[in-house]
């Protein structure tokens, strides 16, 4: 009997010790104890924004895309990208692999929000907005993946273990269908007005992205309709320009009247600032504190650049041949006589802390192209909206006909070419030109004319990482 009692006491003591040793997480963050409050939901969506604005999918992709353009050339470790008659070498493949991984990181974080936030007890309007933001950011990631990698895996649920890592490539059409579905939810559920939070998505950002995607698919009528909705919304106005420095009201400010969606950084952030460093020489007045790497410079053989009217204030704003230092004019070196100036960080606090991603001007140019293509010739409104953007570039009154206006009576083909050219001038270094050359199937012709290189098939898409193929 004594042995039985002793055994029973021993079991009770052991169970008590087990209970005492069992760890109940209180401050350790895990999926089981994190997604409980509205603050947790807000933190989850901010984590998607933060990685979307990170180095690999801003500075790095800007650099790689811009080198593919006719108006720019890469230097240093980016020099091999200029060899369009050869496949990517290992260093560049490593960089595109990093971009791929980061986009899927964005997607997985968005999927976490879509999976976990619905079960949180919180304000329903706030919940709806956060979920819509996740749909928008997931669509943004897939737009970049499908454009530059083609058929890619569609991951629409949270990846929780190794068994869910592998996924087949989805057809390009299926990826675009998913993007449109996500953007339609975002368009419906995002707020009309986000107030001062210009780094957050609104329904107008979703509408422009929808118009942009419809342009990819040559769904001209829908592209024109969505762009028209934004133009007529009354939410935005084009920044007034009378001199080239007025463009800094767009590119060296936290926000402006044509800012629809932008990436925001602190003054010490290194995310997009790396791209700014890649544009300038060390210790020039247009870049401070002085660590410039000048890895990207202007291609002086580009007809786009050589035919750019010097009276166009956008040329003066985007390109510089020299600068004043201590009151003395200094020419850029003969090897790189023209450098890019749009993004700067100088001692006068004209700093790139906010980077425009979607601008009101884009709606005008999307509408102009789409309305012309849908109609079979440029409509009156398509011509006027193209000319509004060009007039602004020269510092003219937006609604008064000018001597630089494109004429009426242009053919569909010539008008579309004019729109594509204006997009190049308006969005230089804003990641539009390379995709415009791809989607209009002019990449080979333009590359041969501007860089005297034959563009090979292997360069039309970025290579899918070996790790993804293994998965």
């Amino acid at each position: 009997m004594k042995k039985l009692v002793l055994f029973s006491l021993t079991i009770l003591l052991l169970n008590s010790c087990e209970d005492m040793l069992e760890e109940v997480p209180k401050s350790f963050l895990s999926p089981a104890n994190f997604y409980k409050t509205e603050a947790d939901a807000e933190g989850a969506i901010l984590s998607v924004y933060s990685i979307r604005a990170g180095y690999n999918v801003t500075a790095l992709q800007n650099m790689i895309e811009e080198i593919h353009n006719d108006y720019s050339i890469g230097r240093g470790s980016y020099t091999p990208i200029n060899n369009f008659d050869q496949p990517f070498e290992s260093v560049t493949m490593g960089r595109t692999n990093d971009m791929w991984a980061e986009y899927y990181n964005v997607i997985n974080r968005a999927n976490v929000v879509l999976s976990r936030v619905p079960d949180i007890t919180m304000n329903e309007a706030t919940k709806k907005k956060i979920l819509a933001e996740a749909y928008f950011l997931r669509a943004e990631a897939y737009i970049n993946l499908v454009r530059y990698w083609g058929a890619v895996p569609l991951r629409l649920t949270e990846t929780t273990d190794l068994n869910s890592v592998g996924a087949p490539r989805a057809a390009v059409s299926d990826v675009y269908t998913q993007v449109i579905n996500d953007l339609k939810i975002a368009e419906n559920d995002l707020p009309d007005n986000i107030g001062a939070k210009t780094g957050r998505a609104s329904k107008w950002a979703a509408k422009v992205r929808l118009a942009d995607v419809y342009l990819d698919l040559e769904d001209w009528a829908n592209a024109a309709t969505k762009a028209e909705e934004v133009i007529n919304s009354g939410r935005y106005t084009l920044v007034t320009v009378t001199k080239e420095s007025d463009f800094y009201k767009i590119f060296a400010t936290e926000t402006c009247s044509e800012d629809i969606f932008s990436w925001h950084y602190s003054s010490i952030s290194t995310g997009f600032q790396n791209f700014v460093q890649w544009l300038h020489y060390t210790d020039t007045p247009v870049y401070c504190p002085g660590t410039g790497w000048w890895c990207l410079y202007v291609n002086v053989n580009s007809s786009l650049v050589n035919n750019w009217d010097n009276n166009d204030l956008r040329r003066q704003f985007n390109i510089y041949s020299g600068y004043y230092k201590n009151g003395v004019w200094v020419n850029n070196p003969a090897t790189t006589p023209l450098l890019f100036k749009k993004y700067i960080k100088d001692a006068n606090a004209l700093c790139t802390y906010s980077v425009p991603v979607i601008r009101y001007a884009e709606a005008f140019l999307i509408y102009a192209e789409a309305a012309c293509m849908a109609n079979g010739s440029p409509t009156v409104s398509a011509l006027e909206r193209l000319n509004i953007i060009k007039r602004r570039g020269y510092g003219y009154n937006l609604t008064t006909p000018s001597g630089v206006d494109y004429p009426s009576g242009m053919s569909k083909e010539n008008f579309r070419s004019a729109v594509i050219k204006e997009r190049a001038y308006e969005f230089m270094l804003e990641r539009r030109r390379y995709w415009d050359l791809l989607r209009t199937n002019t990449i080979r012709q333009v590359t041969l004319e501007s860089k005297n290189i034959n563009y090979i098939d292997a360069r039309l898409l970025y290579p899918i990482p070996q790790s993804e193929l293994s998965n």
Side-chain angles (χ1 to χ4, degrees), residues 180-323:
I180 290 171
N181 289 342
D182 283 358
L183 287 176
K184 284 182 175 179
I185 295 172
E187 176 190 28
N188 186 66
D189 293 349
L190 283 171
D192 179 79
N193 186 0
I194 57 172
K197 295 183 178 180
T198 55
R200 304 290 286 266
S202 69
K203 71 164 62 263
W204 308 108
K207 285 179 183 291
V208 176
R209 273 293 173 258
L210 269 171
D212 195 24
V213 167
Y214 287 134
L215 210 61
D216 290 0
L217 300 175
E218 298 186 353
D219 184 347
W220 308 119
N222 274 324
T225 296
K226 287 300 166 189
E228 179 94 47
E229 289 175 10
V230 177
I231 293 169
N232 292 336
S233 68
R235 287 286 176 191
Y236 308 96
T237 57
L238 294 170
V239 166
T240 300
V241 171
T242 58
K243 56 186 181 300
E244 62 90 14
S245 60
D246 286 339
F247 281 105
Y248 287 125
K249 297 174 184 176
I250 303 172
F251 293 95
T253 182
E254 186 172 348
T255 188
C256 68
S257 62
E258 65 179 83
D259 176 10
I260 296 179
F261 182 61
S262 52
W263 296 318
H264 285 217
Y265 301 91
S266 72
S267 60
I268 60 172
S269 171
T270 59
F272 191 78
Q273 297 290 8
N274 284 275
F275 183 67
V276 183
Q277 287 180 292
W278 288 329
L279 303 178
H280 303 292
Y281 284 104
T282 298
D283 198 27
T284 65
V286 291
Y287 185 79
C288 174
T291 311
W293 300 329
W294 54 285
C295 293
L296 186 71
Y297 60 95
V298 178
N299 176 19
V300 295
N301 295 317
S302 166
S303 61
L304 187 79
V305 173
N306 292 331
N307 295 330
W308 199 351
D309 187 354
N310 285 322
N311 293 317
D312 189 335
L313 299 177
R314 293 171 299 182
R315 179 186 171 98
Q316 301 171 32
F317 175 70
N318 276 283
I319 295 173
Y320 69 98
S321 60
Y323 49 88

Side-chain angles (χ1 to χ4, degrees), residues 9 24 106 121 124 209 219 221 238 291 333 336 435-436 450 469:
L9 286 171
V24 178
V106 171
T121 301
E124 288 301 315
R209 273 293 173 258
D219 184 347
L238 294 170
T291 311
T336 53
W435 177 243
D436 282 346
S450 63
L469 298 177

Side-chain angles (χ1 to χ4, degrees), residues 92-152:
T92 303
M93 285 182 65
R95 286 166 170 158
T96 58
N97 290 353
D98 289 344
M99 288 155 50
W100 170 282
E102 204 81 320
Y103 277 123
Y104 275 106
N105 200 354
V106 171
I107 289 165
N108 194 55
R109 289 193 185 188
N111 287 339
V112 169
V113 172
L114 296 173
S115 170
R116 306 281 182 167
V117 170
D119 293 333
I120 297 176
T121 301
M122 58 183 287
N123 179 279
E124 288 301 315
T126 302
K127 179 188 292 187
K128 187 177 183 180
K129 178 184 76 73
I130 286 174
L131 293 174
E133 288 178 289
Y135 280 114
F136 175 83
L137 292 168
R138 185 171 75 177
E140 280 267 288
Y142 272 120
I143 289 170
N144 284 277
L145 285 164
V146 75
R147 282 177 172 177
Y148 301 112
W149 281 272
V152 297

Side-chain angles (χ1 to χ4, degrees), residues 87 115-116 131 141 156 161 179 182 205 221 244 289 352 357 410 416 463:
S115 170
R116 306 281 182 167
L131 293 174
L156 304 178
D161 55 55
V179 165
D182 283 358
E244 62 90 14
T352 310
V357 178
M410 298 174 72
R416 191 186 190 198

Side-chain angles (χ1 to χ4, degrees), residues 307-371:
N307 295 330
W308 199 351
D309 187 354
N310 285 322
N311 293 317
D312 189 335
L313 299 177
R314 293 171 299 182
R315 179 186 171 98
Q316 301 171 32
F317 175 70
N318 276 283
I319 295 173
Y320 69 98
S321 60
Y323 49 88
Y324 282 100
K325 188 170 185 178
N326 299 323
V328 178
W329 178 260
V330 179
N331 287 316
N332 293 336
T335 52
T336 53
L338 298 178
L339 295 176
F340 294 106
K341 196 179 67 169
K342 173 172 282 183
Y343 301 109
I344 65 172
K345 179 181 178 183
D346 74 2
N348 297 317
L350 293 172
C351 303
T352 310
Y353 299 156
S354 176
V355 180
V357 178
I358 302 174
R359 295 198 277 123
Y360 186 47
E362 188 164 10
F364 284 74
L365 294 177
I366 289 175
Y367 177 85
E369 179 181 355

